[in-house]
Amino acid sequence: MTGRRFGPDETRQLPQTGTHFRPANSYGAYGSGVPPLEGVPDVLFVGPFPKQRLRPLHELYSDMVRQGLREQVNVIHGDLIPGLHHLEVLTERGTPVLNLVFAGRAVPAILAGDGIALLLRFGFELATQAGGVVLMEEPEVHMHPGAIRQCARAILAAVRRKIQIVLSTHSLELIDALLAESLDQDLARLSLYRLQLQDGALQSSRLAGPDIAFARSEIEDDLR
């Protein structure tokens, strides 16, 4: 596809609009000129919010439990974190802290590293979704290679639950992890879009899942 280039006079006349996401993951539009789309499902943004805007992990987990999602959340994270038995909120000096419970020991989630904390947040957010769209901005940030592989598993598990995920990434490791964890039916649902600005016009190209796998395995194309 080729993007159309607008002249200066046309650009000034274009309606301006946008979407802003708030800490509790509610969102709204601003600007005018673009009518709301009918039939668009709920949208969830999972992105790099500043830490001071993030809800504590124990609050997110408590919300999951109140919604009757305890078992679902434990299954998701049991698949993502090797050896994890379950999650549990314990108190330390009167302060509630989410803990990862393994055989014979419990580890506060805040001490498990940024990568594990991100995996926990992904699992909590994805567990609440039943259909709809999830937007992810560079989910691999702060993750070591093993965590990236687990993140890919979480993404694919959500896709199998009929959640559409749109993510941006600069990580070949994440692309390769998604391919490695994909079944044939998963590859059929994958698409990769490459965007490039050329002389003021936005160019885009699309690769289907099987073509992505061929590009990486056969010719080792850099798809970032």
Side-chain angles (χ1 to χ4, degrees):
M1 291 193 327
T2 301
R4 179 190 166 196
R5 186 186 307 167
F6 291 93
D9 293 337
E10 289 180 294
T11 302
R12 281 193 291 268
Q13 297 173 8
L14 290 175
Q16 301 296 312
T17 188
T19 301
H20 54 88
F21 286 82
R22 293 179 280 272
N25 231 319
S26 59
Y27 66 95
Y30 60 87
S32 61
V34 179
L37 299 176
E38 296 182 0
V40 174
D42 291 337
V43 178
L44 177 71
F45 178 64
V46 180
F49 287 123
K51 286 188 176 181
Q52 62 269 26
R53 292 182 59 191
L54 296 174
R55 293 181 64 200
L57 289 172
H58 71 269
E59 288 188 7
L60 290 174
Y61 179 69
S62 298
D63 283 350
M64 301 299 99
V65 174
R66 281 191 284 268
Q67 294 176 47
L69 297 172
R70 184 201 302 268
E71 292 304 319
Q72 184 173 346
V73 166
N74 283 328
V75 167
I76 289 173
H77 289 98
D79 289 340
L80 298 180
I81 303 173
L84 180 69
H85 185 268
H86 66 277
L87 300 170
E88 188 171 346
V89 176
L90 304 174
T91 59
E92 293 188 9
R93 299 180 182 178
T95 300
V97 176
L98 181 67
N99 278 253
L100 311 175
V101 181
F102 301 91
R105 64 191 177 99
V107 178
I110 58 175
L111 301 181
D114 288 342
I116 293 297
L118 283 172
L119 279 177
L120 290 169
R121 289 188 185 279
F122 287 162
F124 292 148
E125 300 284 12
L126 295 176
T128 62
Q129 290 294 101
V133 178
V134 173
L135 308 179
M136 293 180 131
E137 183 176 354
E138 299 187 357
E140 74 281 355
V141 173
H142 303 306
M143 288 188 179
H144 58 75
I148 289 175
R149 186 74 172 250
Q150 303 299 341
C151 177
R153 293 179 64 188
I155 290 170
L156 290 169
V159 171
R160 292 166 191 154
R161 300 201 312 274
K162 311 300 182 185
I163 297 172
Q164 182 180 10
I165 293 184
V166 180
L167 67 87
S168 64
T169 183
H170 292 91
S171 170
L172 280 177
E173 290 78 8
L174 178 59
I175 294 173
D176 289 343
L178 287 167
L179 293 173
E181 295 293 333
S182 289
L183 305 173
D184 289 343
Q185 57 265 37
D186 299 321
L187 280 180
R189 300 187 184 104
L190 289 179
S191 295
L192 184 144
Y193 292 85
R194 304 169 85 175
L195 305 178
Q196 187 175 14
L197 192 63
Q198 295 182 348
D199 299 326
L202 184 64
Q203 312 289 335
S204 69
S205 59
R206 174 185 178 271
L207 281 179
D211 296 327
I212 302 170
F214 178 84
R216 289 299 298 146
S217 63
E218 300 300 326
I219 60 177
E220 298 184 359
D221 190 8
D222 188 336
L223 296 177
R224 290 174 291 185

